[in-house]
Amino acid sequence: MTVEPQRVIRRRPKNRRAQIAATSAAAFGSLGYHGVSMEDIAARLGISSAALYRHYPSKYALFREELLRLGQLTVDAAVPPDAAEGLTPRQRLDSVLDKMIGETIANRATVTLVRWERRYLDDTDRRTLEDQFATALATLRQLIKDVRPELDGHDRAVRAVALLSVISSVGDHHAALPVKTLTALLHSACRSVVDTELPPPGTEARQPRAVEIPQSFKHELLLKKAVELFHERGYPNVSVEDIAAAADLSAASAVYRYYRSKGDLLAAAFRRAADRVSGAIGPAVASSSSSAEALTKLIDLYVAGSFAERELTFVYYAEFGHVAPEERTMLRNVQRLIVAEWVRLLVAVRPELSEGEARILVHAAFGLVVDLGRVFGDDPRICPQERVIRLMEVTLFGAGAGR
C-alpha cells in the first residue's frame, strides 16, 4: 500500500506586512533609496515580487512609510510623559532627551534616511515630514525655554536643532558603544549644548568672500555646477546633460573633455572635500603648542570650509553610496584617518574619554555643521560661524570649554 506524502500547507505569516516594512527599512538604511529595488526586498524576505506588491504598491510607498514613521517617532519622543508633570524643568528636559536618544539608538539603522534621503519624498510627503520635525523642534524649544528663560527665540531654535543633530548623528557611522554608555555620552553632549553661552549673533557672517570662477577654468566650473545640482536634486536625478546646461556648455559631450563621467565628477567632489579636511591637520598640529590648541584650530578651519562650500559638505555626507567602489575604499580610508586624528587630539584633551566615546563625539560635531547650515544657512542673525564653532567646541570639549 502506497502512502501519499503529506502535503505541507504554507501559511502566510500574520505579521508579513510588518516584516516587509522592517526589511525594506533596513535595506534603505544601508543602501539608500536609489540603491534598493522591490526585487531586492523580496529576495531578502524570501518571497516573490508579486507577493510583495500585494502588500505595498511600490518601493516609494515603503520608503515613505519608514520616513513618516521616524518623523512621528520623533514627535512622540519629544513630548514629556504624563509622569513628568511633577518634575523640574531640567528633569523634564532630561527625560525627553533620554527618550529621544533611546528611540534613535533603537532605530539607528534607518535614522540616516531622514537626514540625507528626505529630498526623494514627493512634495506632499516632504511637507508632512517637515511638519513633524517642526512640531518636535517647537516642543524642544519650549523645554529649553523652561530651563533657560533668559534665552531669546533664535537662541532656543539653534539649540533645539543642535540637540536633534547630536542625537541623530549616530546614524551616520558604525562606531559602537554599549547602549548605556552611548546614552550617557549623548545626553552629556546635549546638556552642554543647552548650558553653554553662545556668542551673540553679529550683523555679518564671518566667512571668506566668494570668488567667482573664471569661465576659462571649465573643469572647476563643471565641478561647482555638478555639486550644486547633486545637492539640489540628489545624484541619481542629475544627468550629464543637466551639468552641461548649468555650465553653459553646448552639449553633454563637452563635459567629457574634462571628466570621464558623472561618477568621475562626484569622486572629484569627494576628493576635494576630503583633502580640505585632511590637509588642515598637519599645519594645525605643527603650529600648536597643545592638543587643545590644535583641535580648536581644526574646528575653526572645518567650520570656515563648510561655510564656504555648503553644498559640497552636504553632498559629502548624502551621496557616499553613489561613489564608485574603488574610489569609495580610498575615501573611506581617508575619512578614517581624519576621524582618528581628531579622536587622538580629543582624548589627549579629555583623557577620561575612551577612543570609542571620542569617536562618537567627533562624528556628532561634524554632523552639527551640516544640520545647522541646512536649517539656518549663513544667516548672521541666527547662526553665524562663531555660534557653529562654539557648538562644535562644547560637543567635543564639554560645557566648560573656553576659547
Side-chain angles (χ1 to χ4, degrees):
M1 177 175 149
T2 303
V3 178
E4 291 287 332
Q6 187 173 6
R7 190 173 64 175
V8 177
I9 300 174
R10 306 185 73 172
R11 291 185 174 85
R12 187 183 306 165
K14 292 181 180 179
N15 63 340
R16 173 66 83 193
R17 186 177 175 87
Q19 286 181 343
I20 292 170
T23 300
S24 64
F28 291 138
S30 62
L31 300 173
Y33 176 62
H34 286 282
V36 178
S37 69
M38 290 291 269
E39 289 72 23
D40 295 332
I41 297 167
R44 290 186 179 215
L45 287 159
I47 62 176
S48 67
S49 297
L52 184 56
Y53 281 109
R54 281 199 291 269
H55 294 275
Y56 287 92
S58 64
K59 180 179 78 167
Y60 179 82
L62 282 160
F63 178 68
R64 170 191 181 276
E65 181 170 301
E66 177 60 13
L67 264 67
L68 297 187
R69 182 189 73 85
L70 291 169
Q72 189 58 48
L73 200 67
T74 305
V75 172
D76 295 342
V79 177
D82 293 338
E85 289 185 9
L87 301 178
T88 66
R90 173 70 69 176
Q91 289 170 332
R92 283 200 300 274
L93 177 58
D94 284 342
S95 70
V96 165
L97 291 175
D98 281 340
K99 187 176 179 184
M100 295 183 78
I101 292 168
E103 293 288 11
T104 301
I105 293 173
N107 291 274
R108 186 176 180 179
T110 57
V111 291
T112 186
L113 294 174
V114 176
R115 288 167 71 79
W116 312 117
E117 304 271 297
R118 68 173 76 177
R119 58 196 160 151
Y120 299 127
L121 291 172
D122 66 31
D123 291 343
T124 300
D125 291 332
R126 189 166 58 251
R127 282 194 296 271
T128 299
L129 184 67
E130 288 169 356
D131 288 345
Q132 290 173 326
F133 275 88
T135 299
L137 287 168
T139 305
L140 283 174
R141 288 198 303 272
Q142 183 58 52
L143 290 166
I144 294 169
K145 181 180 181 181
D146 293 341
V147 172
R148 298 197 60 187
E150 78 280 8
L151 300 178
D152 67 20
H154 286 166
D155 212 342
R156 296 193 301 270
V158 169
R159 293 168 199 266
V161 171
L163 291 178
L164 278 186
S165 178
V166 167
I167 294 169
S168 60
S169 67
V170 295
D172 293 338
H173 56 86
H174 301 291
L177 284 176
V179 170
K180 187 175 180 180
T181 304
L182 180 56
T183 300
L185 184 69
L186 293 175
H187 190 118
S188 177
C190 287
R191 271 211 166 202
S192 297
V193 165
V194 172
D195 292 340
T196 191
E197 297 302 324
L198 295 179
T203 55
E204 295 183 3
R206 190 184 73 185
Q207 57 181 330
R209 287 184 299 172
V211 178
E212 290 296 322
I213 297 174
Q215 290 291 320
S216 57
F217 297 129
K218 281 296 183 184
H219 66 288
E220 287 289 334
L221 181 63
L222 281 167
L223 186 58
K224 179 175 183 290
K225 294 300 181 182
V227 167
E228 289 174 355
L229 289 171
F230 297 156
H231 172 257
E232 178 187 349
R233 304 180 192 175
Y235 176 81
N237 296 331
V238 176
S239 67
V240 175
E241 289 77 11
D242 295 331
I243 297 168
D248 292 325
L249 294 177
S250 57
S253 58
V255 174
Y256 300 120
R257 298 175 198 162
Y258 308 94
Y259 294 95
R260 291 170 296 177
S261 64
K262 184 178 75 164
D264 197 32
L265 272 161
L266 183 64
F270 270 75
R271 288 194 295 271
R272 171 161 298 183
D275 289 346
R276 184 187 73 201
V277 181
S278 63
I281 294 174
V285 172
S287 63
S288 300
S289 59
S290 68
S291 296
E293 183 185 351
L295 200 48
T296 299
K297 287 179 180 178
L298 287 175
I299 290 169
D300 288 348
L301 291 169
Y302 188 88
V303 174
S306 296
F307 267 64
E309 297 182 291
R310 284 283 193 208
E311 295 89 352
L312 178 58
T313 304
F314 180 89
V315 167
Y316 186 80
Y317 273 85
E319 304 294 355
F320 193 80
H322 295 117
V323 177
E326 62 275 13
E327 289 281 353
R328 198 182 310 155
T329 299
M330 181 273 293
L331 288 165
R332 189 173 279 120
N333 288 336
V334 172
Q335 186 181 50
R336 287 194 186 107
L337 291 172
I338 291 169
V339 172
E341 189 60 25
W342 280 61
V343 165
R344 183 187 69 79
L345 293 169
L346 182 54
V347 170
V349 177
R350 297 182 62 185
E352 77 276 10
L353 294 175
S354 67
E355 286 193 4
E357 289 169 324
R359 189 170 293 108
I360 295 290
L361 294 180
V362 167
H363 282 293
F366 286 169
L368 261 177
V369 183
V370 185
D371 290 332
L372 290 169
R374 179 163 49 188
V375 176
F376 301 112
D378 298 342
D379 192 334
R381 300 164 302 171
I382 304 176
C383 200
Q385 286 192 41
E386 291 85 351
R387 289 194 154 194
V388 181
I389 287 169
R390 179 61 182 168
L391 287 166
M392 280 193 79
E393 286 177 344
V394 299
T395 298
L396 293 172
F397 298 143
R403 294 303 303 273

